[in-house]
Amino acid sequence: MQRITRDIRQMYIVCARSLVEGRLDLDNVDDSGFDSDLPVFTVGKVATLANIHPQTLRQYDRLGLIVPKRTQGGARRYSLRDIDRLCQAQHLSQDESINLAGVTRILALQEENRQLRREVKRLRLRSSSSVFAAGRNGEVIEVQRSERARLWRHEMHRNDEELVAFDETDELGSSRSLIIWGSDQEF
């Protein structure tokens, strides 16, 4: 399981609070750049954030309603998506008096609907060729192009005649190569 810094964990906690309070939804979370599937939160932290008993979380896990990821030691770790499902399940079961089988079906349909909306949005936004990157686990993922990157590419194409074919250096000894260094952490 990936380790994250204290600052990033704090940002995820703020995001989780916003989900619980209804100020954000998962679409906003994804658009903000958070990984909604990153397992960050312990049972105790989620119980505190959502104001429910930890045994309720364990029961939901046993029933398959909200199934968190597990550490190598077997401890449960919840993601922002799990917290969103938990809040929806609590609302449906307590406020709407829907049984847990009905809640499970509703949550599955809502997630399917959300994924379809995101796919339609992605297809509408695609204006040129796609950009792909390697994900955290080595899978190939499509990444959104940023306006800054588009402008940078436009500038590079406009100045093609100034670029050199090899990694030559100018009179100051600086390279004209672009090197992007990665880190072990995702933000």
Side-chain angles (χ1 to χ4, degrees), residues 99-172:
N99 65 23
L100 292 181
V103 169
T104 302
R105 181 69 177 137
I106 290 169
L107 291 178
L109 291 171
Q110 284 179 337
E111 181 60 23
E112 183 179 341
N113 189 349
R114 191 181 82 75
Q115 292 296 333
L116 291 171
R117 282 193 323 269
R118 289 187 61 75
E119 180 70 15
V120 167
K121 180 181 175 183
R122 187 183 63 79
L123 290 171
R124 284 185 179 155
L125 289 177
R126 186 181 293 171
S127 60
S128 62
S129 60
S130 298
V131 176
F132 296 92
R136 199 171 41 254
N137 297 324
E139 72 276 11
V140 176
I141 57 172
E142 186 174 2
V143 294
Q144 264 186 320
R145 289 179 175 235
S146 69
E147 183 66 16
R148 177 188 278 168
R150 188 187 66 74
L151 292 173
W152 177 80
R153 282 189 306 277
H154 176 70
E155 183 69 24
M156 295 307 284
H157 289 297
R158 201 178 81 201
N159 297 326
D160 262 347
E161 64 278 359
E162 295 177 19
L163 296 176
V164 293
F166 301 102
D167 187 17
E168 297 177 10
T169 57
D170 61 16
E171 58 276 351
L172 297 176

Side-chain angles (χ1 to χ4, degrees), residues 164-183:
V164 293
F166 301 102
D167 187 17
E168 297 177 10
T169 57
D170 61 16
E171 58 276 351
L172 297 176
S174 62
S175 173
R176 292 184 183 207
S177 298
L178 172 67
I179 300 173
I180 300 175
W181 294 97
S183 72

